């Protein structure tokens, strides 16, 4: 909902992606696959994988420092830190947000994780906006961070080729001294009946790891079911964001979708009759980084000066839960 008095603005964006790059050819040495299969089925060439001593909070910290630097803001000015992750440093507690809060020295901030898988950053933006509209926060740090490489079955070619590690962060404020990007409207949805199609097997108290070949929680995905859901979720969210806000697709500069698979985006573009060029994609370099994929893309677009003040953009997420949703941002 839009509140006419208080607004939530994006003051800056930052990102951090580990330097270790793994190509499709590298993966072909691990499992029976090829660059040709992976690229033609997903649009992915490379993914970046965290160093052995890097955890989700480390990636999040680095992304946060770059966002705070760009905002010219001290961590002490933050009163809220939200972290979207499905690969926290610790499952359950402490939250990854608490670890980031401590390392930043954000001594005035509340800190918590939000779990909405690949839609996590979208959920966090709207949650921070709601805190601002209610008067509970004035400056927030919203982070998407993932070390998916630690929850992959590296012997399963169906999943191991799809994911990468990375983090992106945004500094939000309710105080726009100069023109800033305004989060105008969000749609958050969930189709929990499909929860079993995409899950971290062995990560909680529902399903112990029963596969002797894998001794840690790992991603299970029914690829085709998730693919169909993703195309539908992407189309529905774009169309609802446009109709709720009485906007036309021609007035949208970019759609920034979760970077799961280029075929999902091409199918949605075709179904909606929207030119594919309107969608920003970078999965060829980073693969699917779940909650981090949208802020990493926004940071890259910002650096390339693709985002112009006054542009209207849509960010659209979909993934585990099965969650989906989007934000209309007046950049
Ligand atoms: O972020 C969460 C959201 N995730 C998604 O949105 C992912 C959604 N799903 C997808 O993107 C696609 O379903 C996949 C990329 C995961 C798979 O593509 P697909 O065209 O649906 O392939 P498929 O699962 O139907 O598999 C076709 C064939 C199978 O072989 P058979 O049974 O026909 O002999 C697979 O074993 O391709 C085989 N295959 C591979 N071959 C080479 C699966 N993975 C690979 C691989 N290399 N890496």
């Amino acid at each position: 909902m839009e509140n006419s008095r208080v607004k939530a603005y994006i003051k800056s964006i930052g990102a951090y992606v580990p330097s270790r790059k793994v190509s499709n050819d590298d993966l072909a040495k691990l499992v029976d696959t090829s660059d040709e299969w992976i690229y033609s089925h997903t649009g992915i060439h490379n993914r970046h994988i965290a160093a052995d001593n890097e955890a989700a909070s480390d990636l999040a910290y680095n992304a946060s420092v770059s966002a705070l630097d760009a905002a010219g803001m001290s961590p002490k000015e933050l009163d809220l830190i939200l972290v979207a992750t499905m690969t926290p440093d610790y499952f359950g507690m402490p939250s990854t947000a608490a670890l980031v809060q401590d390392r930043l020295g954000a001594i005035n901030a509340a800190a918590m994780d939000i779990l909405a898988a690949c839609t996590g950053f979208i959920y966090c933006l709207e949650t921070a906006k709601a805190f601002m509209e209610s008067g509970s926060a004035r400056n927030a740090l919203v982070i998407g961070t993932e070390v998916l490489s630690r929850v992959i079955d590296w012997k399963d070619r169906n999943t191991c080729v799809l994911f990468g590690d990375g983090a992106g962060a945004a500094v939000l404020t309710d105080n726009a001294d100069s023109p800033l990007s305004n989060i105008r409207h969000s749609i958050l949805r969930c189709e929990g009946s499909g929860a079993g199609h995409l899950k971290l097997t062995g990560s909680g108290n529902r399903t112990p790891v029963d596969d002797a070949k894998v001794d840690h929680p790992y991603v299970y995905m029914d690829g085709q079911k998730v693919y169909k859901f993703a195309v539908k979720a992407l189309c529905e969210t774009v169309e609802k964001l446009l109709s709720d806000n009485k906007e036309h697709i021609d007035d949208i500069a970019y759609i920034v979708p979760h970077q799961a698979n280029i075929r999902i985006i091409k199918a949605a573009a075709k179904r909606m009759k929207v030119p594919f060029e309107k969608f920003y994609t970078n999965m060829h370099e980073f693969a699917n980084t779940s909650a981090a994929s949208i802020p990493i893309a926004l940071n890259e677009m910002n650096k390339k000066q693709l985002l112009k003040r006054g542009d209207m953009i849509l960010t659209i997420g979909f993934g585990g839960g099965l969650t989906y949703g989007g934000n209309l941002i007046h950049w």
Side-chain angles (χ1 to χ4, degrees):
M1 245 182 48
E2 249 190 281
N3 179 318
S4 54
R5 285 170 294 123
V6 183
K7 291 191 168 160
Y9 299 96
I10 297 178
K11 199 170 165 72
S12 65
I13 297 271
Y16 172 80
V17 175
S19 55
R20 184 173 12 166
K21 189 194 256 199
V22 175
S23 69
N24 291 345
D25 288 335
D26 293 332
L27 289 183
K29 293 173 197 151
L30 287 182
V31 288
D32 181 14
T33 190
S34 64
D35 178 52
E36 196 283 325
W37 192 96
I38 301 171
Y39 188 69
S40 64
H41 283 73
T42 67
I44 296 167
H45 269 312
N46 298 303
R47 70 284 296 140
H48 291 242
I49 301 294
D52 294 348
N53 62 353
E54 276 181 319
S57 71
D58 300 317
L59 274 54
Y61 171 79
N62 290 333
S64 302
V65 167
S66 82
L68 285 161
D69 282 353
M73 199 184 264
S74 154
K76 294 190 177 59
E77 293 176 72
L78 296 171
D79 36 34
L80 179 66
I81 298 176
L82 298 179
V83 172
T85 186
M86 55 170 273
T87 49
D89 288 32
Y90 302 95
F91 286 102
M93 67 175 182
S95 68
T96 301
L99 303 172
V100 175
Q101 178 271 334
D102 177 51
R103 201 158 157 203
L104 286 173
I107 52 173
N108 299 308
M112 62 178 166
D113 290 0
I114 288 189
L115 184 46
C118 305
T119 322
F121 191 76
I122 306 281
Y123 268 61
C124 280
L125 281 185
E126 178 58 15
T127 306
K129 176 176 182 268
F131 267 69
M132 286 176 179
E133 288 175 350
S134 72
S136 295
R138 301 209 62 187
N139 297 312
L141 178 65
V142 169
I143 307 163
T145 185
E146 302 287 7
V147 182
L148 291 155
S149 59
R150 305 266 160 77
V151 293
I152 295 300
D153 174 358
W154 286 102
K155 296 193 186 80
D156 177 12
R157 69 177 183 174
N158 290 292
T159 51
C160 77
V161 301
L162 303 174
F163 298 99
D165 302 337
V171 173
L172 271 59
T173 180
D174 71 352
N175 177 16
D177 295 334
S178 54
L180 290 176
S181 316
N182 173 219
I183 304 165
R184 263 182 59 187
H185 187 78
S186 305
I187 290 169
L188 307 181
R189 292 283 186 277
C190 184
E191 202 174 288
S193 57
H197 302 327
L198 182 53
K199 59 185 180 185
L200 207 48
T201 296
S203 59
N205 51 56
R206 173 62 65 186
T207 50
V209 178
D210 50 10
D211 182 341
K213 295 191 296 291
V214 184
D215 60 1
H216 58 76
Y218 64 96
V219 171
Y220 162 82
M221 179 166 70
D222 183 330
Q224 290 188 4
K225 290 215 172 76
V226 176
Y227 182 96
K228 281 187 195 134
F229 157 78
V231 176
K232 183 169 82 74
L234 179 41
C235 295
E236 269 181 29
T237 310
V238 168
E239 283 162 359
K240 186 151 174 53
L241 277 171
L242 292 176
S243 64
D244 282 2
N245 292 281
K246 302 190 174 36
E247 297 290 352
H248 191 272
I249 190 68
D250 292 347
D251 301 319
I252 303 297
Y254 281 103
I255 300 171
V256 187
H258 168 48
Q259 305 289 313
N261 183 333
I262 205 157
R263 283 165 52 220
I264 291 172
I265 297 166
K266 284 188 171 158
K270 192 168 168 206
R271 194 178 291 183
M272 291 189 288
K273 300 191 176 54
V274 172
F276 174 68
E277 297 66 44
K278 225 182 238 304
F279 292 82
Y280 187 79
T281 61
N282 65 4
M283 74 281 287
H284 53 273
E285 180 58 26
F286 303 115
N288 178 346
T289 57
S290 188
S293 85
I294 289 172
I296 290 173
L298 288 175
N299 181 62
E300 197 175 72
M301 294 171 79
N302 200 33
K303 286 219 148 56
K304 290 182 182 168
Q305 299 186 324
L306 294 176
L307 300 172
K308 306 270 183 298
R309 186 63 64 216
D311 274 355
M312 217 108 66
I313 65 165
L314 304 179
T315 53
I316 312 287
F318 45 83
L322 297 168
T323 56
Y324 62 108
N327 319 105
L328 169 66
I329 302 173
H330 198 176
W331 200 261

